[in-house]
Amino acid sequence: MSDSDTVGRPGAPGLARGPRGGAAPDTAPEAPISTPQGSGGSPVQPPKVITRPGDKIFKALTVGSGVFVVAMIALIGIFLLIQAIPSLADNQANFLFGRDWDADPQGGLAFGVLDLLLVTVFSAVFALIIAMPISLGIALFLTQYAPRRLARPFAYLVDLLAAVPSIIYGLWGAYVLAPALSPISTWLNEHLGFIPLFATGTSNLAIGQTIFTAGIVLAVMLLPIITAISREVFDRTPPMQIEGALALGATKWEVVRTTVLPFGRAGYISASMLGLGRALGETIAVLIILSSTTSHFGFSLFDGGDTIASKIARAAQEFNDPRGAGAYIAAGLVLFVLTFVVNAFARSIISGHKEYE
Amino acid sequence: MSTATDLNRPAAPPAFQEINASRRFKNRLATILVAGTFVLALAPLVWLLITVIAKGFQYVLNADWWQKSLAGLTSRQFGGGVYHAIVGTLLQGLICAVIAVPIAVMVAVYLVEYGKRSRLAKAVTFTVDILSGVPSIVAALFIYALCITTLGMPRSAFAVSLALVLLMIPVVVRTTEELLKIVPDELREAAYALGVPKWKTIVKIVIPTAMSGIITGITLAIARVMGETAPVLVLVGYTTFINYDPFGGSMASLPLLMTSERLTTNEVGEARVWGAAVTLILIITVFNLLGSLISRLTSLKTK
């Protein structure tokens, strides 16, 4: 890629990385065109380097924007930390392992994030468990099974799921889906109630403001995200492999199982992790669906409670005192770190696979 | 065994063997399951849209709905409209776009034209990935910590727009980057060969070639951020009055109106919530259609 070096322009700065388009005229017109004279024995003089102010300014702008974006992520972490520290210092409970949340600035601050964190992770993982197999099926359907002509419009329909704002998912979940799920959850509770997962929780099953409902709504919201990336990866399965499997007499399913799935596995897992990150941070849908409670989280799907995001949103209108707000900002910092780790992990899976590019 | 069957039997066994029953069954089952998941995914979409339309469509048919605010109406009075919230939603979305788009396009230009494989470019790509996964509530808290507690600004629609910028930048960077990558190198080389400076090549050749796609991406991104609720919840107060000033005081928006009126537990509140839901979906649909329309109108003529 270092065309600019081979061309012999030592004066071209910063081009060693080979920008798109090969040799870019950061400098004067191409010198080597005139090299035929060189056959006469006289050494080729390096051309005089002309730096155009436009180029310099423009490059500085683009680099600046890049740096700005990088700085932004760091700033998010730093600012949240700075604002959280005073409240954390005043905190009378253990922040990471405390289970009660009292961020009333009038009394003493005593807030622990553990319960919120548990509900957050629990509901997101539940959503992911529902969404993963379904998205896998959709992605396979769209890439391998659907008739070519219909694959695009079908994919568009699935993408529409991502276009619906989360508040509308929340309203639908709380007022339409929750009552409809009530017979199912009551049945699960009555017959499988001995399993802690289905034990009677803190939320009224008839109204259905449970993690069960929230998880299902979250799962619907994850479908388009996981499907979109898995689809892209499955589409890149080398046709040679597929044809090879077909030639060996494999059925459609065997083709999928022996070529598409092994090829796309890493991408699919990465997509699911991105979905998990999304589910962890979902705010308003969870806020509308879950009933708030003061009792501790009991690892039941039929509990109410709050995720970190919904707790913050519930209190957001009353952020007037910096100390009280600081407690929520500390919780937000935990959420930020959590989603950061999940997302970074998801990206690291996919970036290790050159065949996806 | 009669001689007739013996005569009919081929001399060599056929090369193709029947697929045995269990493999056939598995194949069929897989097909049904895979197609089933697709139907299963469409069910909530259809159910949700029908719900929203059934519950809210009747309210948006009224002309007042689009022209009036809820100012002066109590929570028991029908009537009024959501003009104030529509103004807020559009205003916040547009301000966000005005700030986010130039930055995002420049970042994409950097990644495709300048950065390539440098360390900074890797860092930028990584950051954009992470930024696209930042929950909207965290973006809202960051702007709260930066503008409201640290800089002492009051809550305002402008703060909301700033939070939306964080959510919009990664979306626009992604689409723009993809589009710039597919601009053929020949175009760049032709420009360079004519002695056009690099920046001018980018501004006059590369970006215009990708323009239609970029505009579509931007419209879709605006449609997405307009439905965000967490930032408006944290960063601006709700009002029933029309407010055109992004820097001053409370400003309604459709998501905020829904979360506020949701607490009014009577028919009036319900009407306002579902009416606003239909309105929001309509606006998002219009933006989506606009996006594909623009891309169709401005796409380069290919012979």
Side-chain angles (χ1 to χ4, degrees), chain A residues 1 15 17-26 52 54-55 58-59 61-63 65-70 72-73 75-76 79-80 83 133-134 137-138 140-142 145 154 157-158 160-169 171-172 175-177 180 220 223 249-254 277 281 283-284 287-288 309 312-313 316-320 322 325 328-329 332 335-336 339-340 343-344 347, chain B residues 19 23 26-27 30-31 34-35 37-38 40-42 44-45 47-48 51-52 55 103 106-107 109-110 112-118 120 123-124 126-138 141-142 144-146 149-150 155 166 169 174 180-181 183 185 188-189 192 195-199 202-203 224 227 229-230 232-234 236-237 255-256 258-259 262 273-274 277 280-281 284 288:
Chain A
M1 278 308 288
L15 274 172
R17 299 284 175 189
R20 197 161 183 87
D26 251 13
R52 306 187 211 219
D55 268 337
F58 193 76
K59 184 168 183 193
L61 278 177
T62 63
V63 174
S65 306
V67 172
F68 173 77
V69 172
V70 176
M72 197 59 93
I73 268 292
L75 279 181
I76 293 178
F79 263 93
L80 292 183
Q83 298 282 317
I134 300 180
I138 302 169
L140 286 178
F141 178 76
L142 294 176
Y145 284 87
F154 280 176
L157 281 179
V158 176
L160 272 187
L161 277 174
V164 177
S166 52
I167 185 167
I168 292 178
Y169 276 115
L171 294 172
W172 171 72
Y175 300 120
V176 183
L177 184 69
V220 175
L223 289 181
T251 62
K252 184 101 194 168
W253 168 240
E254 284 161 347
T283 311
I284 193 68
L287 169 72
I288 295 178
I312 297 168
Q317 296 287 345
E318 288 109 52
F319 281 1
N320 293 317
Y328 291 97
I329 289 175
L335 181 62
F336 175 63
T339 48
F340 188 103
N343 278 303
R347 299 294 174 183
Chain B
I19 298 170
R23 288 175 64 202
K26 269 189 205 155
N27 187 34
T31 310
V34 161
T37 55
F38 177 67
L40 193 63
L42 291 190
L45 180 65
W47 188 1
L48 186 145
T51 305
V52 173
K55 289 196 173 208
I103 298 175
M106 287 311 253
V107 171
V109 167
Y110 170 72
V112 178
E113 308 286 338
Y114 291 97
K116 264 288 165 171
R117 271 166 240 166
S118 68
L120 178 61
V124 171
F126 178 74
T127 319
V128 169
D129 285 346
I130 295 294
L131 209 54
S132 70
V134 167
S136 52
I137 188 90
V138 171
L141 276 184
F142 165 62
Y144 184 87
L146 175 70
T149 1
T150 310
R155 292 185 184 197
L166 288 182
I169 284 180
R174 280 281 173 67
L180 292 184
K181 269 185 194 162
V183 172
D185 272 350
R188 297 183 178 87
E189 282 155 12
Y192 296 155
V196 181
K198 180 160 182 167
W199 73 274
I202 295 168
V203 174
R224 177 157 304 175
T229 315
V232 289
L233 219 48
V234 177
V236 72
L256 191 55
M258 280 189 261
T259 45
R262 191 173 64 87
V273 168
W274 292 105
L280 184 57
I281 287 189
I284 289 177
N288 277 299

Side-chain angles (χ1 to χ4, degrees), chain B residues 211-289:
Chain B
M211 190 54 107
S212 79
I214 295 176
I215 291 177
T216 312
I218 291 169
T219 11
L220 296 185
I222 296 178
R224 177 157 304 175
V225 296
M226 283 194 310
E228 285 289 349
T229 315
V232 289
L233 219 48
V234 177
L235 294 170
V236 72
Y238 175 65
T239 173
T240 53
F241 292 87
I242 301 168
N243 178 6
Y244 292 109
D245 178 12
F247 294 98
S250 304
M251 185 191 281
S253 60
L254 288 166
L256 191 55
L257 182 142
M258 280 189 261
T259 45
S260 307
E261 296 290 346
R262 191 173 64 87
L263 308 173
T264 320
T265 49
N266 61 13
E267 284 172 20
V268 178
E270 224 167 83
R272 289 174 186 169
V273 168
W274 292 105
V278 173
T279 315
L280 184 57
I281 287 189
L282 282 178
I283 291 179
I284 289 177
T285 315
V286 166
F287 266 78
N288 277 299
L289 291 179

